[in-house]
Structures are given as C-alpha cells and as structure tokens.
Amino acid sequence: MKTLRKNGLYLAWVISLIGLCLSLIYGEIFDNPPCPLCWYQRIFLFPLAILLGMAFYRGETFVIIYAIPLAILGGIFAIMHFLQPYVPFIQKVHICRMGIPCTHSGIEGVFPIVSAIGFFVITWLLC
C-alpha cells in the first residue's frame, strides 16, 4: 500500500495517458465520432494527462490540488454517461445528438464505466 501511495502521481499519470491514447485511437483511428458526453470526459481527461505528466517529471506535488477536481468532474460525466440509458431525466435532456448514441449496446457500452473507474482510481491515487 505504501508503494501505491509513494508512486500515486506516476500511476495516475499512466492511467490518464492510457485513457487519452485509447480515446484518440477509438475516435480517430477507428473513426467512431464521440458523443457530447464523451467529449466532456475528454475535456477533463486530456489536461490531466498533461498536468500529471509535467508534475511527475518535475517532482511537484502541489499540482494535485488542481488535478483532483478535473478527475472528479470527469468521473461525474462518466457516471452520467453510463446512467443515461437508464435514467429518464437524463434521456429527456437529449445530450447525445451526434456520434454513437448513449443507448448503444456492445463494447461501446463498456466505455463509460471504464472511464468512470479510471477517473475514480486517479482521484484515489492523488488523495
């Protein structure tokens, strides 16, 4: 457990970097346009990868106070994305109008929960 706490910044950066790469590969290489909720998650994930990478490289931990809100907000949007097909209020808002609809099934249905887990783990590692 001490090793996780000691290397938390590095591990959080690696998780955010993996999420960034997978997001770009799935969206750009496999040519699957993201829905708006995916974009909102990307808005919080992409700066995390840059911020945490710079913080780890320079050995600065004060950046964590800026990274935690990004991870929490990204996680909120990921949970909202996951719950969108099941919660009538979110369905009525019609957030997803372009790209793959949030009511999709198959492997795309796993992405929001994986994103939420990633944001949760990043938050946990930084706290």
Side-chain angles (χ1 to χ4, degrees):
M1 195 64 155
K2 284 187 176 186
T3 305
L4 278 178
R5 303 313 279 164
K6 183 180 177 184
N7 298 317
L9 183 61
Y10 173 72
L11 294 173
W13 173 61
V14 169
I15 291 170
S16 66
L17 195 60
I18 289 170
L20 179 137
C21 291
L22 290 176
S23 174
L24 290 175
I25 288 170
Y26 185 73
E28 301 303 321
I29 295 177
F30 293 135
D31 199 30
N32 291 315
C35 71
L37 286 173
C38 291
W39 273 116
Y40 297 142
Q41 292 169 60
R42 287 180 178 194
I43 288 169
F44 297 107
L45 179 66
F46 290 5
L48 266 177
I50 296 168
L51 189 66
L52 294 175
M54 290 183 349
F56 171 71
Y57 178 74
R58 296 183 66 165
E60 298 172 345
T61 57
F62 71 88
V63 182
I64 291 173
I65 61 172
Y66 303 111
I68 289 175
L70 289 172
I72 290 172
L73 290 170
I76 289 170
F77 277 103
I79 291 169
M80 194 166 117
H81 191 182
F82 176 73
L83 293 176
Q84 199 268 339
Y86 310 109
V87 178
F89 168 75
I90 301 173
Q91 288 176 354
K92 290 179 183 176
V93 177
H94 296 292
I95 296 171
C96 295
R97 295 184 188 146
M98 60 186 222
I100 298 172
C102 290
T103 56
H104 53 273
S105 60
I107 193 162
E108 291 89 5
V110 177
F111 292 148
I113 195 67
V114 170
S115 176
I117 291 170
F119 280 118
F120 171 75
V121 171
I122 289 170
T123 305
W124 178 71
L125 287 170
L126 295 177
C127 286

